[in-house]
Amino acid sequence: MPMPTTEQLTVWSDQYVALWNAGDKAAWEANWRAVGPGDFRMLDPVGTPEKHGFENCCLNPFDLFQPTVKFRVQPGSRFICGNEVAWVMENHFTAADGTPTVLSSIETYRFEEDGSVVIRTYYDVPEHNDESLGQIFQTYLP
């Protein structure tokens, strides 16, 4: 597979958020596979053990987090440089006490010629005593 073009990565990144927020897992998966048909590796967040495979890096997080978290890329924070995409993502959810909450993350995606993808995310992990997102993370992180 040739390296994804800037145009392909622009479409992918636009659809990443739209399809996630719509809860359309099949279309979200197809969007991923259009630019990343190969192997996946992910540090989510950086500093934790690396996850491997499309299911562990994309599908399982969708199932776990999509019902609770909606995404918004901060305006002006998306960068497409060669075969890499980076952005500041706003992760919107409702805290256990009912308070709307936004956690920011920095996310980078590197697309390789062999179709593989490397994902690196940076964020503060929510406290485990936060019954909403903190408990979900407890099942996600090793």
Side-chain angles (χ1 to χ4, degrees), residues 16-18 20-21 28 65 69-73 87 89-92 105 107 109:
Y16 181 99
V17 172
W20 174 281
N21 288 344
W28 193 75
F65 293 107
V69 179
K70 300 301 179 220
F71 292 153
R72 179 178 177 263
V73 173
W87 54 43
M89 181 72 77
E90 294 176 358
N91 300 270
H92 294 255
S105 56
E107 304 179 2
Y109 305 84

Side-chain angles (χ1 to χ4, degrees), residues 12 15 23 48 55 57 61-62 67-68 82 97 128 132:
W12 167 81
Q15 291 301 303
T48 62
E55 187 170 323
C57 297
F62 187 97
T68 308
D97 67 2
H128 293 299
S132 55

Side-chain angles (χ1 to χ4, degrees), residues 51-121:
K51 295 171 181 65
H52 296 274
F54 185 69
E55 187 170 323
N56 289 326
C57 297
C58 298
L59 300 182
N60 291 346
F62 187 97
D63 292 340
L64 188 61
F65 293 107
Q66 193 285 327
T68 308
V69 179
K70 300 301 179 220
F71 292 153
R72 179 178 177 263
V73 173
Q74 287 184 358
S77 77
R78 180 180 68 179
F79 302 92
I80 300 173
C81 300
N83 63 322
E84 298 194 35
V85 176
W87 54 43
V88 177
M89 181 72 77
E90 294 176 358
N91 300 270
H92 294 255
F93 68 99
T94 302
D97 67 2
T99 306
T101 303
V102 178
L103 296 176
S104 293
S105 56
I106 298 170
E107 304 179 2
T108 66
Y109 305 84
R110 187 177 71 229
F111 299 85
E112 302 292 352
E113 282 188 31
D114 66 358
S116 64
V117 179
V118 177
I119 304 166
R120 295 172 61 89
T121 66

